[in-house]
Amino acid sequence: MSSRRRSFLSTNLHCSSCLPCPLYFEKFKPSEKLQEHGTERLDACHLDSPLRLKAAVHYTVGCLCEEVALDKEMQFSKQTIAAISELTFRQCENFAKDLEMFARHAKRTTINTEDVKLLARRSNSLLKYITDKSEEIAQINVERKAQKKKKSEDGSKNSREPAEAGLGESEN
């Protein structure tokens, strides 16, 4: 772990930041007890998944802000990091709901690349990137299928050839 990430872990987030305290960033073990904001004790296995996810988003935003801060020689306050984290988390929730609704509107239960493209339609550069990657992945899949089909055909020809060769020898 880099020193930047360690220093971010040691920062002290307070309840006023609307984000979890640094205890949530540690690896959880069911036998351990955590103290939440100094009031009650919880088993680690009973922590909400959304809370852990929110903590992970906050951690990642903090690391990214530290990288930018080092690169641009500037500082981000804890409140700024918390605000960016909260906005990011809410935007991701909105994206997830939109993707679900796009799939449901198409009478599907699975979200596919067309849903993601529809979500990204307002950002031309993002839409182009997603489209290019989608086409690249599709091309790779076509090539893999062709290779797999060729191998299976070669394997079946090879398995028939020895049998045919054995028949030819016995006829002589």
Side-chain angles (χ1 to χ4, degrees):
M1 187 181 319
S2 70
S3 61
R4 287 182 293 181
R5 291 178 191 242
R6 267 186 262 121
S7 67
F8 181 72
L9 279 175
S10 64
T11 59
N12 189 17
L13 297 175
H14 299 287
C15 298
S16 61
S17 69
C18 299
L19 290 170
C21 64
L23 292 173
Y24 289 110
F25 292 112
E26 296 182 16
K27 291 185 178 180
F28 298 111
K29 295 179 184 169
S31 61
E32 293 178 4
K33 298 283 186 177
L34 298 177
Q35 189 172 3
E36 184 179 20
H37 304 297
T39 55
E40 65 183 76
R41 296 177 81 69
L42 298 171
D43 280 313
C45 59
H46 292 105
L47 293 174
D48 286 337
S49 292
L51 190 59
R52 291 182 72 181
L53 185 57
K54 194 177 238 189
V57 169
H58 182 76
Y59 174 76
T60 303
V61 167
C63 292
L64 290 171
C65 286
E66 284 191 10
E67 286 179 21
V68 170
L70 290 174
D71 187 44
K72 303 292 183 186
E73 297 178 5
M74 58 183 296
Q75 294 295 317
F76 289 91
S77 69
K78 291 178 186 177
Q79 292 81 12
T80 303
I81 293 171
I84 293 170
S85 299
E86 186 65 26
L87 286 171
T88 302
F89 191 79
R90 288 183 185 177
Q91 189 65 40
C92 288
E93 285 179 325
N94 290 336
F95 286 163
K97 289 175 186 172
D98 288 347
L99 288 168
E100 185 179 349
M101 296 306 289
F102 295 155
R104 188 177 298 160
H105 179 73
K107 296 177 176 49
R108 288 184 277 107
T109 56
T110 304
I111 294 168
N112 64 23
T113 54
E114 295 305 314
D115 300 321
V116 177
K117 289 178 188 177
L118 187 59
L119 182 69
R121 69 190 180 278
R122 292 189 183 117
S123 172
N124 291 333
S125 60
L126 181 59
L127 181 59
K128 182 181 179 338
Y129 180 81
I130 290 170
T131 302
D132 291 346
K133 284 295 180 185
S134 175
E135 290 171 357
E136 181 182 320
I137 291 169
Q139 182 62 33
I140 290 170
N141 288 339
V142 166
E143 291 170 1
R144 283 184 185 163
K145 282 184 180 180
Q147 287 175 351
K148 193 174 184 180
K149 185 176 180 181
K150 185 178 178 182
K151 281 184 180 180
S152 67
E153 287 174 356
D154 289 344
S156 63
K157 284 181 184 178
N158 290 339
S159 64
R160 280 187 244 147
E161 288 173 4
E164 292 170 358
L167 290 175
E169 290 174 4
S170 63
E171 291 176 3
N172 291 333

